[in-house]
Amino acid sequence: MQSVLDFWAKSLTCPVCDQSDLKVMREAGVPDLLYCPHCESEFEVADGGDMVRMLKYPLAMGMDLYGKWLSLAEIRRRVLVYLQNNNLTPYVFIAVTGGSRSSANVPVKRKSGKAGAALPAADEPPQRALDQAQQLLHLGNSLEEVRVILEKDPRLNAYQVDAILDQIDEPRKSQTLEKFLLGVLLLLVVVVGLFFLNSMGMLERGRMFVAGVLSGEVVQIIPPTPVVYRYAPQGVAYGCPPTQQGAAALFGGKQEHWNFDGKNWLYTDIKAVRIYVPEGLTAHYSYFNPILVLEKVSGPAVIDPVMALSIDCYR
């Protein structure tokens, strides 16, 4: 994969230590690398995202993983075998601090009493830190500036910082969704107006033009009431795809109707479709009953039928 999107990297976990918050390393003339700040592993990602090639990882693992295209499942299987063979099951790899970036990585025991758990439990962020972050945001600081300030607080860990940023960004995400749904509503009003003008015998030529553009498909004026089918979680959290084609393949619908706004995949159409919400992601959608109703659904679930929704990709 020549170019890796930052939001997609944040939805993945490291194949070696299974930690999140991966970074994208970019250098002119070569494919982007993903970098794990926890174990300092670096790897390339194949098109499609199902295979990776390890270029740097803890030396204690040996050279069996280096430079080979392997699936994430195979790498994690080999890491698990290594940990079990060395009686390190309740451990994760964490980079030794100090000095330059090198391969000096050792297994360090994590804060968890549950052997084999993928991630340490995130601590509840203190209220004083949340209040400070909200005040900084109201003073005009960006989310990244707030993150930099919070990360300088020695009393906060990385999980608390992420939790705080997610909480203070929730109103902005809600406003983005409201603007999107308002745009959908305005579009529906225009379509309804054209429908009534046509029913009165006016704009016949215009109707024929619209019908031609739509390739003869039946236009749904009012969104139908969706039915949500929920499924049992399987313990596998999906990340958002980086392309329209990937969005259509994972979620459903037509790829040309998927658009990414920097945080979420948005789908809007004049024909209702069946949309799949994968485990680990959340969808927001709307319908009339008889007034506009906003709903939120966490995956794994299927929403059928639906004409407009957003899939939250923010991590």
Side-chain angles (χ1 to χ4, degrees):
M1 189 178 296
Q2 294 295 317
S3 179
V4 179
L5 299 177
D6 290 308
F7 90 89
W8 189 64
K10 288 182 178 293
S11 70
L12 303 178
T13 56
C14 176
V16 176
C17 68
D18 208 23
Q19 301 290 310
S20 58
D21 197 34
L22 300 182
K23 311 296 182 184
V24 181
M25 300 176 62
R26 297 183 173 90
E27 184 176 346
V30 297
D32 289 351
L33 289 177
L34 285 180
Y35 165 69
C36 175
H38 303 280
C39 68
E40 296 190 342
S41 295
E42 297 175 8
F43 55 96
E44 293 177 335
V45 184
D47 285 336
D50 55 340
M51 304 283 284
V52 300
R53 178 163 60 185
M54 302 302 304
L55 300 180
K56 185 177 180 182
Y57 55 92
L59 280 179
M61 294 292 299
M63 299 300 293
D64 290 341
L65 302 179
Y66 183 79
K68 300 177 182 177
W69 285 108
L70 299 170
S71 68
L72 294 174
E74 176 60 17
I75 294 177
R76 285 171 179 160
R77 184 191 69 79
R78 296 190 187 188
V79 170
L80 181 60
V81 169
Y82 169 80
L83 295 175
Q84 291 175 339
N85 290 342
N86 291 273
N87 197 27
L88 297 173
T89 302
Y91 290 70
V92 295
F93 285 104
I94 300 177
V96 176
T97 58
S100 60
R101 282 180 51 201
S102 65
S103 54
N105 299 288
V106 297
V108 179
K109 191 169 184 178
R110 57 178 166 82
K111 291 169 54 181
S112 175
K114 183 178 179 181
L119 291 174
D123 298 326
E124 186 70 22
Q127 186 62 42
R128 57 95 187 159
L130 181 60
D131 293 340
Q132 178 194 19
Q134 289 175 332
Q135 184 176 7
L136 289 170
L137 196 64
H138 291 156
L139 290 174
N141 294 281
S142 67
L143 282 175
E144 287 305 317
E145 289 171 335
V146 174
R147 175 184 289 277
V148 171
I149 295 173
L150 292 178
E151 287 176 343
K152 293 180 179 178
D153 189 338
R155 296 168 293 179
L156 298 176
N157 58 43
Y159 305 102
Q160 291 174 319
V161 172
D162 287 340
I164 292 171
L165 291 173
D166 190 53
Q167 290 186 48
I168 66 175
D169 193 40
E170 185 65 31
R172 187 204 61 81
K173 291 191 288 184
S174 299
Q175 290 176 359
T176 300
L177 177 61
E178 289 173 1
K179 292 178 181 178
F180 165 70
L181 294 177
L182 179 59
V184 172
L185 180 59
L186 292 175
L187 175 63
L188 291 173
V189 169
V190 172
V191 175
V192 169
L194 292 174
F195 173 79
F196 281 109
L197 288 175
N198 181 70
S199 67
M200 292 184 293
M202 301 175 62
L203 300 179
E204 179 65 17
R205 295 175 67 89
R207 185 197 66 79
M208 294 176 62
F209 173 78
V210 173
V213 173
L214 296 175
S215 301
E217 295 184 64
V218 178
V219 178
Q220 293 175 270
I221 304 301
I222 302 298
T225 301
V227 177
V228 177
Y229 303 91
R230 302 178 186 274
Y231 299 92
Q234 301 298 312
V236 179
Y238 286 80
C240 275
T243 64
Q244 285 181 302
Q245 182 179 5
L250 179 59
F251 306 132
K254 300 178 181 178
Q255 71 177 59
E256 62 269 22
H257 290 281
W258 284 105
N259 292 285
F260 185 67
D261 69 351
K263 292 290 185 182
N264 311 289
W265 276 110
L266 308 177
Y267 187 86
T268 178
D269 200 351
I270 55 174
K271 185 176 181 180
V273 295
R274 177 186 179 96
I275 295 295
Y276 170 63
V277 184
E279 183 173 350
L281 299 178
T282 301
H284 296 80
Y285 66 96
S286 65
Y287 61 93
F288 288 98
N289 188 30
I291 62 174
L292 184 66
V293 178
L294 305 180
E295 296 287 357
K296 177 180 178 181
V297 175
S298 297
V302 169
I303 308 173
D304 184 26
V306 65
M307 294 172 65
L309 86 165
S310 69
I311 303 288
D312 185 4
C313 295
Y314 180 72
R315 285 286 184 264

